[in-house]
Amino acid sequence: MFEKLELISADGILGLMAAFRADQDPRKVDLGVGVFRDDRGETPVLACVRAAEAALIAEQTTKTYVGPAGNAGFNQQMEQLVFGAHPALKAGRVRTVQTPGGCGALRLGAELIRAAAPDAVVHVSTPTWANHVPLLAGSGLKLERYPYFDPETGGVQFGAMMAALERLPPRAIVLLHASCHNPTGADLSQDEWRAVRELVKRRSLLPFIDMAYQGLGEGPDADAFAIRLLSAELPELVCAVSCSKNFGLYRERTGALHIVTESSAGGDAALSQLVRLARGMWSMPPDHGAEIVRRILSNAAAREDWAGELEGMRKRITGLRHELVRQLRAHCPRRDFSFIASQRGMFSFFGITPEQVRRMRTQHHIYMTEDSRINLAGLRAENLEYVARATAQVLG
Ligand code: LMR
């Protein structure tokens, strides 16, 4: 049977990760996969995570099953982290299931939508994170695109985006990035989010929000602005969140799916379906990372430590944005890269051609995805100038 299968190429982002690891050149620079790196190029385990993990190992008395909805304490903490002191939470309209990472949350959300509306179409931004496509379309939902990024300005084509959303039929699903848009780094302003809320409400669309970088844009509360704004006035919302980046728990696969429903009874029905769907896909999510997050968020001192470490990551990335713009201005004076400084989160579209991306890799050992997405956190004080000089060379 398997003889008939075709050999397919590796996922673009993961293939790049493997190629970078295999590259023996000491000058190599990884601007590919979206992981935080410190100025030594390492992705450290956060100190607050180490402490919570040590306590967990010392105190855990059993490894028995938890259940398909995952760690209840984690789910409750995540609701508060994402929604804050939100009326939807108080009204009992939010239901949460712990998932294997943000990917699990995206897939579970898509499966729930498919169960409720098999013909629903999910509209994703152009461009969007490459893995959105297999995660969402894999559930059987149809995907379409709406305009988003404006390569001329490095910002959002807001007028075109709104015009496209305006044409969608009621009950269409709109996938939105809460903050730190992946892959472009171009986010909506608060006023633009308010306009999106009005449109979505008027047209009866369902927002499906992906928040994989809470705290890495402007801070945990500011980055959750869109979710809190939309869920205050809309009857329904789907929200996938990840703890990979903001807790540095990448390999622990820690995430959550939140569903906001019109009524508490609707929430119970949705939760019953989510639990059944999860059982059919992964049965139960891994507990280790979730229990670490629960311990951090439920302890005031640990939470403060986490907020401080998160701020450190955020400031490092913001600083690198400015430093890269400065270096590029010095080495590529004919090209304006100032948009990089005004974007948020880990990523930016560098705006070079696939051929130039290839030359950055083959001639300079600088790795980025083919669409020229760069992970700012891969830059270091010692390689910033090298990257700017290499850019000048490939631009010619
Ligand atoms: C990325 O966008 O690079 C990260 O979210 C890692 C991944 O799984 O693609």
Side-chain angles (χ1 to χ4, degrees), residues 13-14 32-34 103 129 131 182 213 245 347 373:
I13 294 173
L14 303 187
V33 66
C103 289
W129 178 44
N131 208 29
N182 182 0
Y213 297 85
K245 332 278 169 168
F347 305 116
R373 183 193 81 169

Side-chain angles (χ1 to χ4, degrees), residues 174 195-207 234:
V174 187
V196 168
R197 177 190 58 185
E198 291 318 308
L199 188 157
V200 159
K201 192 173 165 191
R202 184 165 40 75
R203 301 286 305 152
S204 300
L205 309 179
L206 174 65
L234 301 177

